[in-house]
Amino acid sequence: MMLAQEAKSAAVVINAGARLGSAGPAPAVDMLRSAGLPISAVHEVLSGTELAGTLDRVVAEGHDLVVVGGGDGTVSFAAGRLAGTGIVLGVLPLGTANDLARTLEIPADLPGACAALAGGKVVDIDMGRVNGHPFLNVASVGLSVGVTETLSPRLKRYLGPVAYGVAAVRAYARHQPFRARLEFPDGDHETLELENLLQVAVGNGRHYGGGNAVSPTAGIDDHLLDVYAIPGAPLREHIRIARMLKNGSFVERDGVHHLTCQRVRLVTEPLMPVNLDGEIATATPADFTIERNAVHVVVPQESTSARFDGYAAP
């Protein structure tokens, strides 16, 4: 299937707990059906447990297109379930940040996203895993975890993407520096021992945190992980770095470590939780890997974010 319209059977799964998911699946289903997609199953979920069971069911039912509406955490979890199956993922950005949609150049509004999905093309994208858990955008430790812990559903619902900036200021005030060791099992880099850190992140995609870029060259179809570490520094330096987050050029600042690889192991002192696309799902020590072309996904015809190579990672 190279075009979404070639699907024989499609299922829609909407996370009603997402910021823009409270209207349920009906509006999206109506738009997709009107555009000609063969929607044969519709599911609304409210919890992670419900999502896992529902995805297992739609996979077993044999649909060749599964449309998932929710935030980045919901879509990444779904991608982990669909990876390697050949089932195509459709994305409806109903969360707060919607960074995967931004990376894939999917419109942020529901009508635009539905139209792009119905008329879109199928590409394959890479997927990251950390300790076995999937992520599509970025996995990280340090400040970002504090941001996630500060981001209440109420804050996200009322402030939208601006909530990330508010949460970052609050998290920064409470942040405790940490130590980390980065090991590279493939031998492509020397082990790095780092102290007094603000954040360590491993990116699979391009965007995270409501529109920030992992690096100027990061992409979701480049078969590489982008690793960066930001050290502790005076507040004025962190403000300079913050101004460079949108285009990823902060990785070029003195003191910021940035490299690419396919595997990396992160050991921290103390042990720390890991944020995967806005969800805290595991902890250090953490083993990161990349699965090349693991997920088939629909993007707009004009999107240049990825291409179709015709196979999935083993």
Side-chain angles (χ1 to χ4, degrees):
M1 185 176 69
M2 295 297 293
L3 300 174
Q5 290 177 334
E6 296 172 2
K8 296 181 176 65
S9 174
V12 175
V13 180
I14 300 290
N15 179 3
R19 178 172 173 260
L20 302 176
S22 57
V29 169
D30 288 346
M31 292 178 202
L32 293 173
R33 280 184 172 147
S34 296
L37 286 190
I39 309 297
S40 53
V42 179
H43 301 276
E44 182 177 358
V45 301
L46 288 168
S47 69
T49 302
E50 232 184 316
L51 177 63
T54 299
L55 289 168
D56 288 344
R57 190 178 321 125
V58 299
V59 168
E61 288 170 352
H63 305 284
D64 50 0
L65 172 64
V66 176
V67 179
V68 178
D72 287 314
T74 298
V75 177
S76 290
F77 185 86
R81 280 294 205 271
L82 300 181
T85 65
I87 299 171
V88 175
L89 171 67
V91 178
L92 296 179
L94 302 180
T96 303
N98 299 317
D99 284 305
L100 177 66
R102 187 176 284 105
T103 293
L104 298 178
E105 301 167 31
I106 295 170
D109 63 296
L110 184 59
C114 287
L117 175 54
K121 61 184 179 182
V122 177
V123 299
D124 41 43
I125 60 174
D126 302 332
M127 183 175 69
R129 285 194 186 270
V130 50
N131 294 345
H133 298 275
F135 67 98
L136 292 176
N137 302 326
V138 170
S140 56
V141 301
L143 181 66
S144 63
V145 172
V147 172
T148 295
E149 291 172 339
T150 305
L151 274 171
S152 66
R154 178 183 175 87
L155 193 65
K156 290 193 288 186
R157 191 170 298 277
Y158 285 100
L159 295 183
V162 175
Y164 282 84
V166 174
V169 171
R170 294 177 179 175
Y172 184 85
R174 299 194 304 267
H175 175 74
Q176 295 295 318
F178 63 97
R179 300 177 63 182
R181 183 171 70 251
L182 291 168
E183 303 170 355
F184 301 91
D186 295 332
D188 46 348
H189 300 285
E190 296 292 327
T191 297
L192 282 177
E193 296 275 1
L194 304 171
E195 298 184 354
N196 186 33
L197 291 173
L198 181 72
Q199 180 162 298
V200 176
V202 179
N204 170 64
R206 177 162 182 79
H207 293 290
Y208 71 102
N212 298 326
V214 176
S215 81
T217 58
I220 202 164
D221 195 33
D222 61 2
H223 319 318
L224 292 170
L225 297 171
D226 273 75
V227 184
Y228 73 73
I230 299 177
L235 177 60
R236 63 181 178 275
E237 174 61 13
H238 286 153
I239 291 173
R240 291 191 189 102
I241 287 175
R243 290 173 178 159
M244 305 169 78
L245 291 176
K246 287 297 180 186
N247 64 7
S249 61
F250 69 95
V251 299
E252 298 162 2
R253 295 287 297 180
D254 287 344
V256 175
H257 297 269
H258 173 241
L259 45 84
T260 60
C261 61
Q262 293 184 324
R263 291 198 298 163
V264 61
R265 177 174 173 82
L266 171 63
V267 181
T268 64
E269 185 182 319
L271 301 182
M272 302 177 73
V274 182
N275 173 6
L276 290 77
D277 292 344
E279 306 289 335
I280 297 170
T282 187
T284 57
D287 291 292
F288 297 83
T289 58
I290 191 166
E291 296 180 8
R292 176 174 174 160
N293 297 339
V295 184
H296 296 268
V297 63
V298 182
V299 299
Q301 286 288 346
E302 64 276 12
S303 173
T304 59
S305 59
R307 66 182 186 183
F308 184 75
D309 288 334
Y311 64 93

